[in-house]
Amino acid sequence: MQQLSFPAYSFRLKNSENKTFIFDIIRKKFLVLTPEEWVRQHVLKWLLEDKGYPESLINVEKEIRVGNTRKRYDIVVFKPDGSLYIIVECKAPKVQITQATFDQIARYNLELQADLLMVTNGLSHYYCKVDSVAERYDFLRELPDYK
């Protein structure tokens, strides 16, 4: 898999039926290793190992309703009180981060109401603070560490 702009991490991999699988540390199961999954697993390791977020506050790939449509978010991080803190949208490295990507996560956030958003393709990372009063996003240099 492609080198990403995250620190180097070790992953549990296995091969079966001519496919490579990667172990998801949050969902506790092996998943087919796709380029997007490669990015998602790096984000999880980064949140846990470098940013210090507790595993118990992280959730991966759950279904939500956006209007009349069913969607799946990639990663969310909760606050200790159970409210949403961060939504992360992961794309494969070959997928450019565009306005459409931000529109997608913004639609999710209409439903989820997180404080922070992160969009990444593993090579480029964007972080925003949601200002719901002014109805805008303020871009951040980096995602805050867990306090």
Side-chain angles (χ1 to χ4, degrees), residues 92-121:
K94 70 176 184 195
V95 175
Q96 293 287 359
I97 304 297
T98 64
Q99 184 62 49
T101 313
F102 283 97
D103 292 346
Q104 177 185 2
I105 199 169
R107 281 191 302 276
Y108 291 0
N109 202 42
L110 287 173
E111 194 67 36
L112 298 172
Q113 300 292 304
D115 296 341
L116 302 172
L117 307 177
M118 175 181 176
V119 176
T120 182
N121 63 5

Side-chain angles (χ1 to χ4, degrees), residues 47-147:
L47 287 170
L48 294 164
E49 295 180 17
D50 292 285
K51 292 301 193 176
Y53 288 91
E55 189 176 319
S56 61
L57 296 180
I58 298 174
N59 204 318
V60 180
E61 281 218 315
K62 294 288 187 209
E63 187 176 280
I64 59 168
R65 283 196 160 297
V66 179
N68 293 327
T69 313
R70 291 180 176 173
K71 301 287 186 182
R72 293 180 83 75
Y73 60 70
D74 284 312
I75 300 169
V76 295
V77 179
F78 293 94
K79 295 178 194 174
D81 70 6
S83 62
L84 265 178
Y85 185 48
I86 306 166
I87 304 172
V88 182
E89 179 62 29
C90 300
K91 298 295 184 189
K94 70 176 184 195
V95 175
Q96 293 287 359
I97 304 297
T98 64
Q99 184 62 49
T101 313
F102 283 97
D103 292 346
Q104 177 185 2
I105 199 169
R107 281 191 302 276
Y108 291 0
N109 202 42
L110 287 173
E111 194 67 36
L112 298 172
Q113 300 292 304
D115 296 341
L116 302 172
L117 307 177
M118 175 181 176
V119 176
T120 182
N121 63 5
L123 304 173
S124 299
H125 318 297
Y126 300 93
Y127 319 102
C128 323
K129 179 169 181 32
V130 178
D131 184 341
S132 53
V133 175
E135 296 182 344
R136 70 171 199 232
Y137 301 108
D138 295 322
F139 283 86
L140 306 172
R141 284 191 181 278
E142 62 182 65
L143 203 65
D145 292 343
Y146 182 74
K147 294 177 181 73

Side-chain angles (χ1 to χ4, degrees), residues 6-11 38 41-47 49-50:
F6 285 103
Y9 299 114
S10 60
F11 296 98
W38 185 237
Q41 294 306 314
H42 274 79
V43 171
L44 290 172
K45 288 275 193 171
W46 178 71
L47 287 170
E49 295 180 17
D50 292 285

